[in-house]
Amino acid sequence: QPLITITDIGRKYVIGAETIHAIKSVTLTINKGEFVALMGPSGSGKSTLMNILGCLDTPTKGEYILNGINVSQMTDSELAEVRNKEIGFVFQTFNLLPRSSAQDNVALPLVYAGISKKERDERATAALTNVGLANRLHHKPNELSGGQRQRVAVARALINNPSIILADEPTGNLDTKTSIEIMGLIEEIHAKGNTIILVTHEEDIAQHAHRIVRMRDGLVEDDYQNQDIKTVA
Ligand code: ADP
Ligand code: ADP
């Protein structure tokens, strides 16, 4: 069933006398359990679309329904609430708190959700165990490798059981071998039924996705099922 329905959305930026149409018109349906790669050249509108999909921004025209909720015209605080509940983010730069342990980083979304310390610790431990970091609970980010840091970020993204994982260039700061490991982890998460949207510049990385959406000049130029899915296992 559709998890994301966006209909003729646009996003323009008005800067003085100039108007930039970052997204001209995009209509897209993404079903529960899909694994989609979003590609396109620099300036094509990928970040703008990801910001809208991730409820960090709202479109200036059109409609966005996420998991049955019309988020098109929400205020910032309403969006923040939807974001905490529905979206797990994974970034190129990991975005971990440098002074907090792996366990505390993973548990952070549960603090906002008002869950007790005991339950937070238990759930964060389980989530880190699931990404292969049971023996790194109390390490800080600078005591972990790049791949381990991204595993922590993936565990954090999953901790609230979000309806979508949005991964923005998740392998952008990793070497080839580590990138493949992280793609293997994302494949496992997809196989458990999660919906994944991955932004990447790299064709090799996009080939792990089951569907590829290519943007150009604020429009969807191409949208197709990947016939040649690459898997790590
Ligand atoms: P991509 O992620 O594909 O590189 P973006 O979504 O960042 O593309 O940008 C699409 C277009 O919108 C570009 O022309 C960019 O300069 C413009 N743009 C993006 N964000 C802003 C902003 N906050 N203010 C003004 N223009 C923006
Ligand atoms: P990315 O590295 O993901 O492509 P961008 O360079 O598109 O990121 O955007 C970085 C930040 O700068 C974002 O907050 C975006 O909204 C803003 N931005 C991007 N392009 C412009 C622009 N032309 N004018 C003003 N702000 C912009």
Side-chain angles (χ1 to χ4, degrees):
Q1 65 275 40
L3 189 57
I4 288 175
T5 310
I6 61 181
T7 310
D8 190 23
I9 62 159
R11 175 68 165 98
K12 65 182 178 188
Y13 297 104
V14 179
I15 304 160
E18 199 190 356
T19 301
I20 298 166
H21 291 269
I23 296 181
K24 290 176 183 152
S25 172
V26 169
T27 296
L28 205 59
T29 300
I30 296 176
N31 292 323
K32 192 171 174 348
E34 282 201 84
F35 181 178
V36 182
L38 183 60
M39 300 200 73
S42 184
S44 60
K46 301 181 300 295
S47 303
T48 302
L49 182 58
M50 279 302 263
N51 287 345
I52 292 171
L53 290 172
C55 297
L56 293 158
D57 187 19
T58 50
T60 45
K61 74 160 182 181
E63 188 179 70
Y64 175 18
I65 311 281
L66 167 59
N67 208 9
I69 311 162
N70 188 338
V71 298
S72 321
Q73 315 210 343
M74 281 189 167
T75 61
D76 288 349
S77 67
E78 290 170 330
L79 280 181
E81 201 170 306
V82 173
R83 206 156 60 223
N84 289 336
K85 200 162 157 280
E86 305 287 344
I87 321 271
F89 292 97
V90 179
F91 302 98
Q92 176 170 1
T93 51
F94 319 131
N95 290 25
L96 301 174
L97 298 176
R99 290 180 188 78
S100 299
S101 67
Q103 190 182 43
D104 287 346
N105 267 286
V106 171
L108 193 62
L110 301 177
V111 175
Y112 301 132
I115 288 165
S116 73
K117 170 85 170 114
K118 181 168 178 288
E119 186 180 340
R120 292 199 307 261
D121 286 350
E122 285 168 5
R123 283 173 60 180
T125 300
L128 282 163
T129 303
N130 279 336
V131 298
L133 293 178
N135 56 353
R136 293 288 185 277
L137 301 179
H138 304 296
H139 287 58
K140 302 216 166 100
N142 68 3
E143 298 166 329
L144 299 170
S145 69
Q148 290 171 335
R149 288 180 207 184
Q150 198 57 301
R151 286 173 185 272
V152 173
V154 169
R156 179 187 55 189
L158 286 166
I159 194 85
N160 255 343
N161 301 313
S163 38
I164 319 171
I165 301 291
L166 288 186
D168 193 353
E169 301 280 1
T171 61
N173 274 344
L174 303 174
D175 61 46
T176 305
K177 180 168 168 285
T178 310
S179 295
I180 292 167
E181 276 172 35
I182 292 296
M183 290 316 297
L185 179 60
I186 291 174
E187 285 170 9
E188 277 174 39
I189 289 162
H190 173 244
K192 287 179 186 158
N194 288 289
T195 309
I196 316 267
I197 305 177
L198 165 75
V199 177
T200 181
H201 284 92
E202 294 174 74
E203 288 291 341
D204 276 17
I205 296 294
Q207 291 310 320
H208 292 264
H210 294 223
R211 173 179 171 190
I212 299 182
V213 174
R214 288 182 197 272
M215 293 193 69
R216 179 177 294 275
D217 298 334
L219 298 166
V220 172
E221 175 186 57
D222 211 352
D223 179 353
Y224 56 94
Q225 295 299 317
N226 185 7
Q227 299 302 324
D228 194 18
I229 298 165
K230 190 160 116 181
T231 58
V232 173

